[in-house]
Amino acid sequence: MGNRTQRRPAAARLVCDFFDTAFDVLESWKPDLAGDLAAVPDATRLTSARLDELVRPYAAQTLSETRIPVYGAGFIAAIGLLRDARGHLSWWQGPDREQLSLAWSIINKEHLDYSEFEWYRVPMMTGKAHLSGPSVDYLCSDEYTMTIATPVSIRGRFVGVAALDLLVDSVERHLVPRLRQEIDDRATLINSADRIIVSTDPNLAAGDPVSRAGADAAVRHSCGSLALLIG
């Protein structure tokens, strides 16, 4: 038991390092993108096409990241920012790094409103980076997804969020074997709503609410808004 106790902090650090890396990836290019947007001579000239040109290299950089299994990346414009669209996702995803286009064939761009999505709303309201999910991403991938987003501002004005998507399946394949190496007990990662993200217990599925009794009996290690339950 003593040996397992000593190894538990290492398991928590493993989880924290994984998600900290995802946040750091976005923060590494957010200032540069803000500078690019601020350099547009006249804000009223900013169109969805021009935004795509500015965002594309940063999305490509994020999708090339090898430390975390990024599925999608890009920038979501603040509602009303652009001249030619009420809202716009400059977004690339998947193994082929294709630009998101399916949503535009389903959703009328003139009425596109993602302001209530957690990944957009929380960074906009708090001014802080945020991790949302797991949830089914009906807007982009139709997959069970976690989204990490960070607000982008120009001279104090919120202009949108830089974000990346992690498929829950990829997070499981990345973290679960490493957690099993670190500990002999069951380990379950939960979000701030006490819903399961990943678990070494095959009987626990992503998105399920964690059993209150099980949570109370486990050792809890915090990682920002996440918690790793062990035991």
Side-chain angles (χ1 to χ4, degrees):
M1 176 66 73
N3 187 47
R4 282 206 304 262
T5 301
Q6 292 174 1
R7 296 171 74 186
R8 285 171 179 170
R13 286 197 299 272
L14 185 158
V15 171
C16 292
D17 288 347
F18 175 83
F19 287 102
D20 283 347
T21 297
F23 282 107
D24 290 345
V25 166
L26 292 178
E27 295 295 341
S28 69
W29 55 262
K30 183 176 78 170
D32 293 332
L33 175 61
D36 292 344
L37 293 173
V40 175
D42 183 349
T44 62
R45 298 179 184 175
L46 187 59
T47 63
S48 53
R50 178 59 178 146
L51 181 64
D52 289 345
E53 291 176 1
L54 296 176
V55 175
R56 186 186 297 271
Y58 300 115
Q61 172 185 325
T62 304
L63 289 165
S64 298
E65 179 59 52
T66 59
R67 294 171 294 171
I68 51 174
V70 179
Y71 178 80
F75 175 79
I76 300 89
I79 300 297
L81 176 71
L82 303 177
R83 187 184 71 189
D84 62 337
R86 183 170 185 271
H88 183 65
L89 284 77
S90 288
W91 194 260
W92 289 260
Q93 65 182 25
D96 296 329
R97 303 180 184 181
E98 295 180 340
Q99 185 170 8
L100 180 67
S101 59
L102 179 62
W104 305 143
S105 66
I106 299 174
I107 300 172
N108 186 333
K109 290 178 69 173
E110 295 304 316
H111 298 92
L112 180 62
D113 187 357
Y114 36 73
S115 60
E116 291 304 314
F117 284 96
E118 181 184 345
W119 47 260
Y120 178 89
R121 173 177 49 83
V122 174
M124 177 182 66
M125 295 180 64
T126 66
K128 298 179 180 179
H130 181 71
L131 184 152
S132 64
S135 59
V136 178
D137 181 6
Y138 293 110
L139 192 60
C140 296
S141 65
D142 287 331
E143 300 279 356
Y144 219 35
T145 303
M146 301 180 68
T147 299
I148 293 176
T150 184
V152 177
S153 298
I154 299 175
R155 293 182 289 274
R157 178 196 176 196
F158 172 78
V159 294
V161 298
L164 62 82
D165 277 349
L166 303 169
L167 298 187
V168 170
D169 177 66
S170 296
V171 176
E172 287 177 332
R173 285 188 277 110
H174 190 94
L175 285 181
V176 168
R178 299 174 68 188
L179 286 171
R180 285 177 175 154
Q181 288 178 353
E182 289 293 340
I183 57 176
D184 298 322
D185 286 331
R186 291 176 298 179
T188 301
L189 182 66
I190 64 173
N191 63 16
S192 58
D194 278 358
R195 290 193 174 273
I196 294 169
I197 297 173
V198 296
S199 179
T200 60
D201 185 340
N203 297 313
L204 299 179
D208 287 347
V210 66
S211 163
R212 190 68 267 153
D216 290 343
V219 178
R220 179 183 290 253
H221 297 278
S222 63
C223 179
S225 62
L226 306 179
L228 181 66
L229 305 180
I230 300 177

